[in-house]
Amino acid sequence: MALVSRRTMLNAIGGSACMQAAQASNTGRSGQAKRGTYRLTRDIPVEDEYDLLIAGGGPAGAAAAIAAGRLGAKVLLVESTGCMGGMATSGMMMSFCPVADGERCLTGGLMLEWIEALHKRGFLKPGIKPDTWRKRYGGWIPFNAEGLKLLLDELAVSAGVETRFFTDLIDADADARTGQVHGAIIHNIEGYRYVKARAFIDGTGNGVLAKLCGATCRDAGKDTPGIMPPTLISLFAGIDWARMGDQQAAMKKALADNFFTQPDRHFPGMQQIGNRIGLLNGGHIFNLDALREKSMTDGMMKGRRLAQEYMAFYRKYVPGCENVEHVTTAPLMGLRESRCVLGEYELGLADYHARRKFPDQIGVYNYPIDIHVYDTSDAQYARYSKEFRETGRMKPGESVGLPYGMIVARNFKNLWVAGRCASMDVQVHGAFRVQPAAVLMGQAAGTAAAQSVRTHKPAAEIDTEILISTLRKAGAYLPQTHTSKRMTRKTG
Ligand SMILES: Cc1cc2nc3c(=O)[nH]c(=O)nc-3n(C[C@H](O)[C@H](O)[C@H](O)COP(=O)(O)OP(=O)(O)OC[C@H]3O[C@@H](n4cnc5c(N)ncnc54)[C@H](O)[C@@H]3O)c2cc1C
């Protein structure tokens, strides 16, 4: 890591970079006490200029970094935890949502490369068949998180990406009026750094970078009866998968017995990962606001308590799980919804229902609208079930296009957003918040950013025909016959 000798004052590099240890202004959310303001002034070492800075190394950020690195961009990836993969590794949600539509795999490019590599190395669920991702409609692809961590390390290194773990992006030097991001402030054990780059990608899942840049965002819960609740994923061992009983039937019985302190009918359940192990996606943490630290802290504690109840449930009610052991809860909260960043195109429910395709689409995908219950009422479970199983479900062979504009932060020249925080309305977010879609968006964002840096064109003005052909060369499945040099826009 090269440091230049010049040092800069935090409050001299732009308004957004002025560190205020405690903000006096209240953002309007309840529970936020008014505090005084303290202005912290620091000299911060300035780092060499990068082509591209990516915040967050989840499925989206990791894909962006690998794609851009392979195209020759000088990439810095900063990640808060000690590995790439985000929810897929640190969040322990070790199962890719379905990637095939009954006829073919929809997610060529990096997603398919990762799956095939994990399979070859023996890191997928025992006995899984390639048909699951090459053709089958609705087949999940469970994997071993260590396998994915190792693979992403290797791919990032071989693409020339500079990765920094245990590093947080904490502020941005951006001008929302001109749409230019100049640099970002990161923090790790060595202190603060001001990193200059020509392009920036927000892969934080929570829109952290985009928000700091002053981009327009939609916080969860704004237009809905609540915030889609997270789940703290758990790892369990000692499962006799050959004797595994019907988990949903067991849940019905336990609920009838008043077994749980929180009677929650919506229960995705335990998924097989290895010969004797499984991950539990069960136990919603209602009313958690991921944009509030106290809510997150309380939520982690609640998640751990819930996990104990679920362990007791499995031992008592589910055949094959009598001797199950709870290994651990995930270090990362399983956030489904927090913040979306408004892009040049917001993919909406009408597009989803129309199975719309776009000349500049950077991927096509097929996954049902999966907005988990906002509370434990029967009405919410009925609403969720109808959407997930009927009204919000695409048939085999169908898919929706992901237009390039959904990953371009609106009115910004050099800021992209990929993954869970990309530009989608609430319903489409409920469908395309999942890992395969995040990888599609990440690969496209990294490819577009590299093209923008090379051609000196702003994000919204790059030639999208070149973007599509670069993605196709990298293996992406982009079936559009009609392409366009210009990005599809949607205002409003
Ligand atoms: C309970 C649950 C179950 C799910 N089940 C499935 C499933 O079965 N299959 C599936 O495909 N998808 C599933 N999903 C969805 C999916 O896992 C996520 O939505 C997906 O991982 C989003 O990818 P991402 O890269 O946008 O964000 P994330 O995976 O959230 O990654 C974001 C990364 O950014 C890092 N980060 C955040 N802030 C900063 C910062 N300031 N500085 C540096 N780094 C930062 C985080 O540490 C993290 O590594 C599930 C999600 C949840 C919550």
Side-chain angles (χ1 to χ4, degrees), residues 175-490:
D175 185 343
R177 283 162 310 166
T178 60
Q180 194 72 39
V181 188
H182 305 288
I185 297 176
I186 60 171
H187 179 262
N188 60 27
I189 189 71
E190 297 179 31
Y192 299 107
R193 293 287 184 275
Y194 176 88
V195 181
K196 289 204 246 170
R198 294 168 68 190
F200 296 80
I201 296 177
D202 189 333
T204 62
N206 295 328
V208 175
L209 170 59
K211 178 77 180 176
L212 290 167
C213 290
T216 306
C217 300
R218 187 192 67 243
D219 291 354
K222 202 169 148 271
D223 306 315
T224 47
I227 298 174
M228 185 165 24
T231 295
L232 188 60
I233 303 288
S234 275
L235 188 66
F236 283 86
I239 304 162
D240 183 352
W241 284 103
R243 288 200 307 112
M244 187 68 169
D246 180 338
Q247 298 180 60
Q248 296 300 331
M251 176 55 70
K252 270 193 189 155
K253 168 101 180 59
L255 289 173
D257 292 351
N258 286 322
F259 181 82
F260 287 99
T261 55
Q262 173 179 282
D264 185 357
R265 178 76 191 83
H266 185 178
F267 168 59
M270 187 90 78
Q271 270 199 58
Q272 184 176 8
I273 301 299
N275 287 321
R276 308 277 299 174
I277 60 173
L279 73 80
L280 174 67
N281 181 356
H284 290 112
I285 304 167
F286 294 103
N287 303 316
L288 186 147
D289 182 347
L291 304 178
R292 294 277 162 249
E293 172 279 318
K294 173 142 176 45
S295 191
M296 284 290 284
T297 301
D298 292 346
M300 288 300 284
M301 292 181 184
K302 176 155 189 192
R304 287 192 271 274
R305 291 195 301 274
L306 277 176
Q308 291 301 308
E309 281 190 29
Y310 279 83
M311 176 181 69
F313 156 73
Y314 272 93
R315 285 181 177 167
K316 180 166 177 189
Y317 288 94
V318 186
C321 295
E322 297 81 358
N323 300 312
V324 81
E325 290 175 68
H326 185 210
V327 181
T328 183
T329 50
L332 211 60
M333 172 57 80
L335 298 175
R336 295 188 169 90
E337 193 185 15
S338 57
R339 177 188 283 141
C340 279
V341 180
L342 186 65
E344 293 290 357
Y345 194 99
E346 185 182 68
L347 193 62
L349 186 62
D351 299 317
Y352 189 91
H353 282 320
R355 314 300 187 237
R356 188 168 171 195
K357 301 294 186 303
F358 301 85
D360 62 336
Q361 64 198 11
I362 46 91
V364 293
Y365 195 48
N366 171 333
Y367 188 69
I369 294 173
D370 186 6
I371 301 177
H372 283 228
V373 291
Y374 293 119
D375 56 50
T376 57
S377 65
D378 290 344
Q380 272 299 314
Y381 188 64
R383 190 269 309 152
Y384 153 77
S385 302
K386 195 169 169 51
E387 273 171 5
F388 188 66
R389 301 197 174 95
E390 298 169 34
T391 55
R393 179 167 285 264
M394 281 180 260
K395 294 193 187 74
E398 294 182 339
S399 61
V400 176
L402 281 64
Y404 168 59
M406 73 183 288
I407 57 169
V408 177
R410 189 173 293 182
N411 297 329
F412 275 85
K413 295 189 172 81
N414 61 343
L415 177 63
W416 288 259
V417 284
R420 188 163 60 79
C421 54
S423 186
M424 304 173 259
D425 73 9
V426 171
Q427 286 82 13
V428 173
H429 174 269
F432 290 176
R433 63 189 170 81
V434 296
Q435 292 163 27
V439 176
L440 290 178
M441 291 183 232
Q443 180 165 10
T447 306
Q451 182 178 329
S452 164
V453 166
R454 197 179 63 248
T455 58
H456 303 278
K457 294 258 189 209
E461 288 170 31
I462 64 166
D463 182 330
T464 45
E465 269 178 356
I466 295 177
L467 173 65
I468 300 312
S469 76
T470 313
L471 287 168
R472 280 178 175 155
K473 272 186 216 142
Y477 172 60
L478 297 171
Q480 63 265 45
T481 46
H482 168 63
T483 54
S484 152
K485 286 187 172 303
R486 309 295 299 166
M487 177 184 75
T488 309
R489 286 176 187 267
K490 182 164 78 175

Side-chain angles (χ1 to χ4, degrees), residues 56 60 79-80 86-87 93 95 97 169 334-336 420 433 435:
E79 164 54 45
S80 296
M87 261 314 286
M93 192 54 240
S95 189
C97 276
L169 177 123
L335 298 175
R336 295 188 169 90
R420 188 163 60 79
R433 63 189 170 81
Q435 292 163 27

